[in-house]
Amino acid sequence: MTPVLSVRDLRVRFGDREAVGGVSFDLEPGRALGVVGESGSGKSSIALALARLHVGADVTGSILVDGTDVLAASDAELRRLRGGRIAMVFQDPLSSLDPYLRVGDQIAEVYRVHTGASRRAAAAKAVEVLDRVGIPDAPRRARAHPHEFSGGMIQRALIAMALALEPRVLVADEPTTALDVTVQARLLALLDELRADTGMALLLVSHDFGVIAETADDVLVMRDGVAVEHGPVDGVLRAPSADYTRELLQAVPRLDAPRLRVTAPEPGEPADATPGREPLLRVTDLRRDFVSGPPLRRRAVPAVDGVSLEIAPGEALGVVGESGSGKTTLARLVVRLLAPSSGRIEFAGRDVTRLSARDLRPSRRDLQMVFQDPLASLNPRRTVGDSIADPLRVLGEPDAERTARDLMDRVGLDPGRYDAYPHEFSGGQRQRVGIARALAPGPRLLVCDEPVTSLDVSTQAQILALLAELRAERGLALLFVSHDLAVVRSVCDRVAVMRAGRVVELGDVDTVYDHPEDAYTRELLAAVPRLAALDPVP
């Protein structure tokens, strides 16, 4: 069968740095190729090169998409190629949509430009593809703006935009990173369906080996811009020939892995006494409503609906649930980036529910947050080193730069890149910058909103080990929001399962995972992608 995508000796250079060094592969209609590797290994550089989307890079080699030479194509040929024959879903969903336009209008505009459809037909197509990727109440959501969507819903909207034109090749750069496991399962099933029905080829960039195992036919393992292994996915995952591939597989979080116990008990205390201490954080009947709907029919929609929970010093509480379940809203309420509609928040014995920004300042050092979107949370005009050092300077740290460099090293970043800017880093590297910045003031409670979602498995393991060390050294407490249930099991003492703004199950993480009481919890656990060779279904 003739390949729909053929790549030969692809090289991508940024000045003196070679991001991709001579990669070759073919992709046939209806087939899926998974590309894996550590952050900065060249995965995204390959993806961008396929549609000639690099800016300021020297790209050489040969890229043929459905017979068109991408590197030699004119601007007019590229416009016809992009979207119609090759479409891309980007790694950073929030920066890919216009914040001023409705989501449905943006999808409809892309469809009209490439097909010449009427406004009515394009609007109907937008609703159709939003519904197909699992957006609830698609006709109403199509009229919403991006800021009204959760991170996972924005990612689904981008996937819907790419699928609207039924391209010959879909390039998906971490398309399920921001999605919960149930939506991820539906989306992967949809991609399989489209490949079977339309012959669409899929190039899937992901650090999630479970996703690759369930979706891809072949896998390409990248390291430092070079392909170290390439072959059928079952063969590579079950019997890898490269040591690097084996190291990556060993770092994959697993649902059946034992929980790390990182907090040393006080003398005379039982091993599980941490949750019994006086709470560092107490949330009581917390509620946050958002106003939704057209001007004459606005209504209050509860994003967090009567949540109560506690976190003891040194304890890690995981929060899991589907996209839109209220996880991120809860995290933002706890750090008072959002004001609650009702309820009570106590931190370190102090009621902070209604405090002004000025009155909250004494608590800011002790209460820090790692945000879900690393690019949007960093100032593009500040170097990453200064972004980490700035909180220390505000606190009067005498040697803020040295401390910032130490933190960069501790989260796996080269301290020599202190003066580099956020756009010079991959998505996973930017997330590490955000983690280092949050750790800089030495907080007592770290609120983490998907802190390792965009990280490859080896870096993820490094960050989780760092958080475990800090919990042991400093008694750091964590509110750990994640859709990755395996990661939550490995790092957390207890877990709260959220659905539609409410906590439907709360308890010790081993008990909840091994003996879930709520049907929704069982549904989440059943949807987790598994590596058949490493993670057997219980």
Side-chain angles (χ1 to χ4, degrees), residues 403-421:
T403 304
R405 289 181 185 272
D406 289 343
L407 281 167
M408 290 180 69
D409 181 64
R410 198 160 190 191
V411 300
L413 293 169
D414 179 4
R417 301 188 71 188
Y418 181 97
D419 292 321
Y421 289 87

mmCIF file of all heavy atoms in Angstrom, residues 403-421:
data_model
loop_
_atom_site.group_PDB
_atom_site.id
_atom_site.type_symbol
_atom_site.label_atom_id
_atom_site.label_comp_id
_atom_site.label_asym_id
_atom_site.label_seq_id
_atom_site.Cartn_x
_atom_site.Cartn_y
_atom_site.Cartn_z
ATOM 1 N N THR A 403 19.402 30.217 44.489
ATOM 2 C CA THR A 403 18.339 29.308 44.915
ATOM 3 C C THR A 403 17.497 28.871 43.730
ATOM 4 O O THR A 403 17.112 27.697 43.621
ATOM 5 C CB THR A 403 17.448 29.983 45.972
ATOM 6 O OG1 THR A 403 18.260 30.409 47.071
ATOM 7 C CG2 THR A 403 16.370 29.031 46.470
ATOM 8 N N ALA A 404 17.218 29.809 42.812
ATOM 9 C CA ALA A 404 16.435 29.472 41.627
ATOM 10 C C ALA A 404 17.169 28.462 40.755
ATOM 11 O O ALA A 404 16.559 27.524 40.212
ATOM 12 C CB ALA A 404 16.126 30.738 40.826
ATOM 13 N N ARG A 405 18.483 28.633 40.611
ATOM 14 C CA ARG A 405 19.256 27.669 39.820
ATOM 15 C C ARG A 405 19.245 26.287 40.485
ATOM 16 O O ARG A 405 19.162 25.254 39.802
ATOM 17 C CB ARG A 405 20.690 28.165 39.634
ATOM 18 C CG ARG A 405 20.819 29.368 38.697
ATOM 19 C CD ARG A 405 22.278 29.797 38.525
ATOM 20 N NE ARG A 405 22.391 31.000 37.733
ATOM 21 C CZ ARG A 405 22.479 31.029 36.407
ATOM 22 N NH1 ARG A 405 22.443 29.895 35.733
ATOM 23 N NH2 ARG A 405 22.587 32.178 35.750
ATOM 24 N N ASP A 406 19.316 26.257 41.804
ATOM 25 C CA ASP A 406 19.256 24.982 42.523
ATOM 26 C C ASP A 406 17.904 24.297 42.288
ATOM 27 O O ASP A 406 17.830 23.072 42.103
ATOM 28 C CB ASP A 406 19.475 25.194 44.022
ATOM 29 C CG ASP A 406 20.918 25.566 44.356
ATOM 30 O OD1 ASP A 406 21.802 25.360 43.502
ATOM 31 O OD2 ASP A 406 21.145 26.088 45.468
ATOM 32 N N LEU A 407 16.832 25.098 42.296
ATOM 33 C CA LEU A 407 15.502 24.540 42.059
ATOM 34 C C LEU A 407 15.369 24.029 40.634
ATOM 35 O O LEU A 407 14.733 22.994 40.394
ATOM 36 C CB LEU A 407 14.430 25.598 42.353
ATOM 37 C CG LEU A 407 14.099 25.824 43.827
ATOM 38 C CD1 LEU A 407 13.269 27.091 43.997
ATOM 39 C CD2 LEU A 407 13.341 24.620 44.395
ATOM 40 N N MET A 408 15.943 24.752 39.677
ATOM 41 C CA MET A 408 15.926 24.277 38.288
ATOM 42 C C MET A 408 16.584 22.912 38.189
ATOM 43 O O MET A 408 16.055 21.995 37.540
ATOM 44 C CB MET A 408 16.628 25.279 37.365
ATOM 45 C CG MET A 408 15.872 26.580 37.168
ATOM 46 S SD MET A 408 16.740 27.749 36.074
ATOM 47 C CE MET A 408 16.610 26.900 34.481
ATOM 48 N N ASP A 409 17.713 22.765 38.842
ATOM 49 C CA ASP A 409 18.415 21.483 38.810
ATOM 50 C C ASP A 409 17.579 20.390 39.472
ATOM 51 O O ASP A 409 17.514 19.251 38.995
ATOM 52 C CB ASP A 409 19.765 21.628 39.507
ATOM 53 C CG ASP A 409 20.567 20.329 39.496
ATOM 54 O OD1 ASP A 409 20.932 19.880 38.392
ATOM 55 O OD2 ASP A 409 20.812 19.768 40.581
ATOM 56 N N ARG A 410 16.895 20.747 40.549
ATOM 57 C CA ARG A 410 16.141 19.742 41.305
ATOM 58 C C ARG A 410 14.924 19.234 40.534
ATOM 59 O O ARG A 410 14.512 18.089 40.706
ATOM 60 C CB ARG A 410 15.716 20.324 42.648
ATOM 61 C CG ARG A 410 15.341 19.237 43.639
ATOM 62 C CD ARG A 410 15.380 19.717 45.056
ATOM 63 N NE ARG A 410 15.254 18.592 45.970
ATOM 64 C CZ ARG A 410 15.049 18.703 47.270
ATOM 65 N NH1 ARG A 410 14.979 19.894 47.823
ATOM 66 N NH2 ARG A 410 14.937 17.636 48.030
ATOM 67 N N VAL A 411 14.324 20.076 39.670
ATOM 68 C CA VAL A 411 13.177 19.630 38.877
ATOM 69 C C VAL A 411 13.594 19.120 37.504
ATOM 70 O O VAL A 411 12.753 18.862 36.639
ATOM 71 C CB VAL A 411 12.117 20.737 38.731
ATOM 72 C CG1 VAL A 411 11.590 21.162 40.082
ATOM 73 C CG2 VAL A 411 12.664 21.931 37.947
ATOM 74 N N GLY A 412 14.903 18.973 37.281
ATOM 75 C CA GLY A 412 15.371 18.371 36.045
ATOM 76 C C GLY A 412 15.588 19.333 34.899
ATOM 77 O O GLY A 412 15.560 18.936 33.727
ATOM 78 N N LEU A 413 15.820 20.618 35.198
ATOM 79 C CA LEU A 413 16.120 21.610 34.175
ATOM 80 C C LEU A 413 17.590 22.007 34.271
ATOM 81 O O LEU A 413 18.165 22.034 35.358
ATOM 82 C CB LEU A 413 15.246 22.854 34.349
ATOM 83 C CG LEU A 413 13.751 22.686 34.099
ATOM 84 C CD1 LEU A 413 13.008 23.934 34.571
ATOM 85 C CD2 LEU A 413 13.457 22.430 32.624
ATOM 86 N N ASP A 414 18.185 22.338 33.133
ATOM 87 C CA ASP A 414 19.576 22.770 33.100
ATOM 88 C C ASP A 414 19.689 24.169 33.688
ATOM 89 O O ASP A 414 19.140 25.128 33.130
ATOM 90 C CB ASP A 414 20.062 22.762 31.646
ATOM 91 C CG ASP A 414 21.512 23.219 31.511
ATOM 92 O OD1 ASP A 414 22.163 23.467 32.549
ATOM 93 O OD2 ASP A 414 21.971 23.352 30.361
ATOM 94 N N PRO A 415 20.368 24.355 34.831
ATOM 95 C CA PRO A 415 20.509 25.694 35.414
ATOM 96 C C PRO A 415 21.189 26.674 34.463
ATOM 97 O O PRO A 415 21.005 27.896 34.595
ATOM 98 C CB PRO A 415 21.374 25.449 36.666
ATOM 99 C CG PRO A 415 21.190 24.005 36.985
ATOM 100 C CD PRO A 415 21.017 23.316 35.674
ATOM 101 N N GLY A 416 21.932 26.161 33.484
ATOM 102 C CA GLY A 416 22.565 27.029 32.509
ATOM 103 C C GLY A 416 21.583 27.720 31.593
ATOM 104 O O GLY A 416 21.952 28.680 30.884
ATOM 105 N N ARG A 417 20.316 27.274 31.607
ATOM 106 C CA ARG A 417 19.279 27.929 30.787
ATOM 107 C C ARG A 417 18.467 28.928 31.607
ATOM 108 O O ARG A 417 17.339 29.259 31.253
ATOM 109 C CB ARG A 417 18.362 26.872 30.164
ATOM 110 C CG ARG A 417 19.093 25.868 29.264
ATOM 111 C CD ARG A 417 18.124 24.977 28.536
ATOM 112 N NE ARG A 417 17.400 25.726 27.496
ATOM 113 C CZ ARG A 417 16.375 25.216 26.801
ATOM 114 N NH1 ARG A 417 15.941 23.985 27.078
ATOM 115 N NH2 ARG A 417 15.775 25.932 25.875
ATOM 116 N N TYR A 418 19.039 29.420 32.678
ATOM 117 C CA TYR A 418 18.385 30.411 33.545
ATOM 118 C C TYR A 418 17.880 31.604 32.737
ATOM 119 O O TYR A 418 16.792 32.132 32.997
ATOM 120 C CB TYR A 418 19.387 30.877 34.604
ATOM 121 C CG TYR A 418 18.859 31.898 35.595
ATOM 122 C CD1 TYR A 418 18.389 31.499 36.838
ATOM 123 C CD2 TYR A 418 18.847 33.260 35.286
ATOM 124 C CE1 TYR A 418 17.923 32.426 37.761
ATOM 125 C CE2 TYR A 418 18.377 34.203 36.196
ATOM 126 C CZ TYR A 418 17.915 33.777 37.432
ATOM 127 O OH TYR A 418 17.447 34.710 38.330
ATOM 128 N N ASP A 419 18.653 32.052 31.748
ATOM 129 C CA ASP A 419 18.311 33.260 30.990
ATOM 130 C C ASP A 419 17.489 32.978 29.742
ATOM 131 O O ASP A 419 17.258 33.894 28.934
ATOM 132 C CB ASP A 419 19.595 34.004 30.589
ATOM 133 C CG ASP A 419 20.321 34.585 31.798
ATOM 134 O OD1 ASP A 419 19.644 35.074 32.713
ATOM 135 O OD2 ASP A 419 21.563 34.531 31.819
ATOM 136 N N ALA A 420 17.022 31.746 29.555
ATOM 137 C CA ALA A 420 16.170 31.423 28.413
ATOM 138 C C ALA A 420 14.724 31.837 28.716
ATOM 139 O O ALA A 420 14.332 32.021 29.874
ATOM 140 C CB ALA A 420 16.239 29.932 28.100
ATOM 141 N N TYR A 421 13.927 31.973 27.655
ATOM 142 C CA TYR A 421 12.533 32.414 27.782
ATOM 143 C C TYR A 421 11.578 31.236 27.601
ATOM 144 O O TYR A 421 11.950 30.204 27.012
ATOM 145 C CB TYR A 421 12.245 33.509 26.760
ATOM 146 C CG TYR A 421 12.922 34.815 27.096
ATOM 147 C CD1 TYR A 421 14.225 35.071 26.681
ATOM 148 C CD2 TYR A 421 12.275 35.776 27.870
ATOM 149 C CE1 TYR A 421 14.869 36.259 27.010
ATOM 150 C CE2 TYR A 421 12.899 36.962 28.205
ATOM 151 C CZ TYR A 421 14.195 37.200 27.780
ATOM 152 O OH TYR A 421 14.820 38.376 28.123
#
